[in-house]
Amino acid sequence: MSDRWFLRALLVASAAIFAAPAAAAPDTGGPMLLIAKPKLSGSAWGSTILIAKPIANGMHIGFIVNRPTQMSLAEAFPEHAPSKKVADPLFLGGPSDLNVVFALVERHAAVRDGALQMAPYLFLAMEEKAVDRIIEKEAEHARFFVGAVIWRPGELEQELSRDMWFVDEPDPELVLSRKTEGLWEELVRRAEARAHMI
């Protein structure tokens, strides 16, 4: 065995041992906070933050949490007196179901109104009566959306494979934060700092 062959074999083996493992694809089987990467600037998803969760048949549902509209609940429901007491604007949740108002509410107790658990302590109400009850009794712990984001089977995984999103754990305090200005920039800084530490 020549010294040159041995040295080459040693270098190949060392490279295999010390090579950094490939980044694992993010798990899309549970709740996620999706933070648009800066390269999406100028697109419809530029500077967005979404909460997302898998639903039936490999699909996902999500809501943009940092796109307030100019419309209030009182304007959307002029005949509904409790809506006039909600000062926060409606948020644009996404391009699907723009004729539906959704409520995302923070709760620490069990729920029985058919709400979908989006993340620990965060529940989504889609039915009109459930949304009305939240407006009447829990508005201070809720955010109201017009529209949603729906990913067909495999679509979110494709977006992640194209490196469109940073992925984080959804935090109720962050998702329902009253102040959304500058939030995307802060989350991008955090995500990039974490990526450089790995």
Side-chain angles (χ1 to χ4, degrees):
M1 178 189 307
S2 72
D3 288 341
R4 183 179 291 170
W5 184 91
F6 177 78
L7 182 58
R8 191 167 153 202
L10 182 62
L11 289 172
V12 169
S14 298
I17 291 168
F18 294 107
D27 179 16
T28 59
M32 295 162 280
L33 190 71
L34 302 174
I35 304 147
K37 293 203 170 181
K39 68 180 183 178
L40 294 181
S41 176
S43 77
W45 301 111
S47 304
T48 57
I49 306 163
L50 291 88
I51 182 170
K53 178 188 170 76
I55 51 176
N57 304 318
M59 299 172 68
H60 288 78
I61 187 170
F63 297 88
I64 304 169
V65 301
N66 64 330
R67 285 268 170 90
T69 71
Q70 299 298 314
M71 181 179 285
S72 67
L73 277 171
E75 291 170 309
F77 304 113
E79 306 300 318
H80 188 240
S83 293
K84 296 174 183 174
K85 298 177 184 176
V86 179
D88 294 331
L90 279 165
F91 279 68
L92 176 63
S96 300
D97 295 320
L98 287 169
N99 59 336
V100 179
V101 173
F102 301 88
L104 190 63
V105 62
E106 182 178 11
R107 290 175 172 163
H108 294 270
V111 293
R112 297 179 183 171
D113 60 2
L116 172 69
Q117 187 166 8
M118 290 291 290
Y121 309 120
L122 282 174
F123 295 86
L124 176 69
M126 298 173 273
E127 296 178 1
E128 186 177 340
K129 288 181 182 178
V131 173
D132 283 349
R133 278 196 301 273
I134 291 168
I135 292 171
E136 292 164 12
K137 299 181 179 179
E138 301 176 86
E140 68 276 11
H141 302 291
R143 173 160 294 164
F144 301 93
F145 298 91
V146 287
V149 181
I150 304 293
W151 289 272
R152 291 190 295 270
E155 283 186 332
L156 181 54
E157 289 82 358
Q158 288 175 9
E159 291 180 8
L160 291 169
S161 72
R162 296 201 309 266
D163 201 32
M164 291 173 60
W165 307 99
F166 292 113
V167 180
D168 204 346
E169 297 288 327
D171 170 19
E173 187 175 329
L174 186 150
V175 169
L176 299 178
S177 173
R178 296 299 188 236
K179 183 181 180 297
T180 59
E181 187 177 344
L183 185 58
W184 175 78
E185 291 84 353
E186 175 60 27
L187 292 179
V188 167
R189 279 194 292 272
R190 284 192 217 168
E192 288 179 338
R194 274 196 307 272
H196 289 131
M197 290 173 63
I198 294 174

